[in-house]
Amino acid sequence: MSETSEDILATASAWAAQGETVALATVVQTWGSSPRPPGSRLAMTASGKLAGSVSGGCIEGAVADAARQTMASGTPQVLDFGITDERAWEVGLACGGKVKVFVEKLA
Amino acid sequence: MKADLLARLQAAQADKQPVALITRLSDGLQLLWPQDEAPAPLVEAARTALADDAAQNLDYEGAAWFVHPHNPPLRLIIVGAVHIAQALVPMAQPLGFAVTVVDPRRAWATADRFPGITLIHEWTDDAMAQLAPDSRTAVVTLTHDPKLDDPALDVSLKSAAFYIGALGSRRTHAKRVARLTEMGHGAEALARIKSPVGLDIEAVTAAEIGLSIIAEIVAVRRGAALGTRARPPVAA
């Protein structure tokens, strides 16, 4: 976990140094068969660059949408994904798991 | 995350210091432990997270907190700068292992053969004593030469290394077990040595043997059943 997290942080840091607006998403809790463990990170820029992952790819789009809001407002968010939240987020985990993701701006 | 906290986190990682990033999810407030002081329940969660290398969630004073451990990389110590080592190194790195190659034979352990890898040319017992394998370290001996492998195994067996593997056939290993028994190691300690090394995938080439070894290391690290495959007991 720590090894991949480290790479994502280095990438996020490098983007920030280039003047990009950067947000970080981190898996904080999982239930059932979610593909990425707590601590997994996804870094994003306002210009649309992506590094890392918080799922097998099924929720990254929704996380990126939330990250754009957080990059604009500076306010962090906690996102819940899972079967029970399908209607709210219009995405869910095909694997049937649930995952909680923290989104923050790198400021 | 504030830029200065990210810089401190990256500095700790560069110094190979274990740190825990503690986040209050409601507003994103963050602490880096142990550099920053934290209330006792959060410190306890940080210690647990680092010891187990697993993130923790807890409620403290009515708020949800996330405790994210950032341990130094796992280590892989390869004894023997041989062809299989050359195959193993580039597989181990993306899996999160900081790799060190030990071989006093300078003709083998060259920067040409192992670009960017820490090479140690001292005798293997001195080298291993310096490297001090811990519970986040895997050791594999590949020289096939008892003069080099045995001292490294001797030090490793006295350590908490989570994986100890030794290249060699069953016959070679039986002789090795006899020698290590004479050096004072008991049957239980010797059973820690994975030999023949690697998962049984009928590996033939150096790359296939490297794959079998790194797969076994991952299996042991993750507690997979494959990592505990029975090997016939070897009589000393």
Side-chain angles (χ1 to χ4, degrees):
Chain A
M1 171 171 61
S2 50
E3 55 273 10
T4 51
S5 301
E6 186 175 340
D7 296 339
I8 304 310
L9 287 181
T11 302
S13 179
W15 285 341
Q18 291 160 12
E20 299 263 16
T21 302
V22 182
L24 287 170
T26 307
V27 175
V28 295
Q29 217 165 356
T30 65
W31 297 263
S33 56
S34 58
R36 302 284 288 131
S40 304
R41 285 192 172 106
L42 170 68
M44 294 151 284
T45 67
S47 61
K49 291 177 186 159
L50 296 166
S53 65
V54 289
S55 78
C58 31
I59 62 170
E60 267 73 3
V63 171
D65 287 344
R68 271 187 281 276
Q69 295 167 20
T70 286
M71 283 189 266
S73 68
T75 308
Q77 299 179 59
V78 176
L79 312 174
D80 286 294
F81 296 96
I83 300 174
T84 53
D85 295 311
E86 258 174 334
R87 277 167 302 169
W89 283 100
E90 295 179 354
V91 290
L93 296 170
C95 47
K98 282 169 58 178
V99 58
K100 186 186 287 261
V101 178
F102 176 69
V103 181
E104 64 190 318
K105 183 180 181 180
L106 185 55
Chain B
M1 188 184 296
K2 295 205 166 77
D4 72 309
L5 189 138
L6 175 57
R8 288 197 289 136
L9 176 51
Q10 290 187 285
Q13 289 180 314
D15 289 344
K16 307 212 183 312
Q17 296 299 315
V19 290
L21 175 64
I22 303 174
T23 304
R24 186 163 65 194
L25 297 178
S26 57
D27 61 359
L29 173 91
Q30 283 172 325
L31 303 168
L32 194 65
W33 187 82
Q35 278 90 333
D36 299 333
E37 285 183 26
L42 297 177
V43 168
E44 192 185 327
R47 285 187 204 281
T48 304
L50 286 168
D52 298 350
D53 204 20
Q56 306 284 311
N57 287 274
L58 77 160
D59 288 313
Y60 172 67
E61 292 197 337
W65 295 76
F66 178 61
V67 181
H68 189 174
H70 290 74
N71 273 309
L74 298 164
R75 287 192 297 164
L76 172 61
I77 302 171
I78 303 174
V79 178
V82 297
H83 188 194
I84 294 169
Q86 287 179 285
L88 183 52
V89 166
M91 295 183 198
Q93 288 172 313
L95 292 164
F97 289 87
V99 182
T100 304
V101 175
V102 176
D103 201 324
R105 302 169 299 180
R106 287 176 182 269
W108 296 90
T110 65
D112 251 12
R113 287 164 55 81
F114 295 93
I117 296 298
T118 306
L119 300 173
I120 299 188
H121 293 119
E122 288 175 56
W123 204 257
T124 55
D125 49 357
D126 289 339
M128 293 301 292
Q130 274 175 41
L131 289 167
D134 58 18
S135 62
R136 294 177 53 80
T137 307
V139 181
V140 59
T141 63
L142 301 176
T143 72
H144 252 152
D145 180 346
K147 290 195 303 297
L148 296 171
D149 282 353
D150 286 5
L153 290 168
D154 180 37
V155 176
S156 302
L157 287 171
K158 292 169 184 161
S159 80
F162 76 86
Y163 177 93
I164 304 171
L167 187 72
S169 67
R170 287 177 210 288
R171 260 186 65 212
T172 305
H173 188 55
K175 291 182 196 165
R176 175 161 46 217
V177 163
R179 292 190 306 271
L180 289 167
T181 302
E182 275 184 31
M183 294 169 80
H185 295 286
E188 197 176 326
L190 291 167
R192 287 172 68 196
I193 302 176
K194 305 279 192 189
S195 190
V197 73
L199 295 186
D200 187 2
I201 57 170
E202 302 288 346
V204 173
T205 65
E208 288 170 3
I209 296 167
L211 175 65
S212 78
I213 293 170
I214 198 65
E216 183 169 62
I217 291 172
V218 171
V220 169
R221 160 99 177 124
R222 296 301 184 192
L226 271 176
T228 58
R229 95 175 148 102
R231 290 175 171 86
V234 180

